[in-house]
Amino acid sequence: MKICMVGTGYVGLVSGAGFAETGNEVVCADIDALKIEKLRRGELPIFEPGLEALVERNVKGGRLAFWSDVPGAMAQAQVIFVAVGTPMRSDGAADLSAVDAVATEVARSAKRECCLVLKSTVPVGTNARVKKLVATANVKVHVVSNPEFLKEGDAVADFLRPDRVVVG
């Protein structure tokens, strides 16, 4: 499966490397070109036990790549994960501007029917908001949720061997 992981922070990098480890073709994309350059050199922005070896193995295996061309990474993906930050605004609400930006870019860039997966921590109602943003796409974009539950220090194991999987 062709996966685009938008955002190369803690959740995006661990999830992207994990999906590559399970045999998927993954592009981790980020607008931070310097971060992408460092990732291409094998310099990870975070420390997580087992992550460096996981990334190295999957890059060498051709299953994991890092791109700063976010629209290009999205264009042919079957599944696009949103793993961007949602910091708190001054009024206490989540700042969804990065999520909105990804959804808007998916509407512009998707070349095939795809699934847009919200992995970022977002409030109730965000899927409906994102569905409106992708409604202008020339292809069908399915919007779903896949919240992250990764513990720092054990995220690789949490991803590769979850203690439970909830569907529904």
Side-chain angles (χ1 to χ4, degrees), residues 15-106:
S15 299
F19 281 123
E21 181 72 6
T22 59
N24 296 286
E25 184 180 320
V26 180
V27 174
C28 287
D30 201 298
I31 60 172
D32 185 340
L34 181 58
K35 187 185 232 185
I36 293 299
E37 281 181 39
K38 288 180 178 181
L39 284 165
R40 287 178 176 162
R41 291 192 305 259
E43 299 173 27
L44 277 55
I46 60 170
F47 174 76
E48 180 62 35
L51 183 59
E52 187 173 356
L54 191 67
V55 168
E56 182 180 331
R57 180 170 53 253
N58 284 285
V59 167
K60 284 183 181 174
R63 293 177 301 278
L64 181 61
F66 301 103
W67 292 15
S68 58
D69 175 10
V70 177
M74 291 177 177
Q76 297 303 316
Q78 296 166 287
V79 180
I80 302 165
F81 282 85
V82 181
V84 297
T86 55
M88 189 184 320
R89 296 186 323 210
S90 60
D91 65 359
D95 178 353
L96 298 176
S97 60
V99 172
D100 291 350
V102 173
T104 301
E105 190 57 53
V106 168

Side-chain angles (χ1 to χ4, degrees), residues 137-154:
N138 291 327
V139 296
K140 179 70 176 162
V141 179
H142 306 274
V143 179
V144 300
S145 292
N146 177 229
E148 63 88 9
F149 295 101
L150 303 174
K151 294 184 299 293
E152 286 189 34
D154 208 22

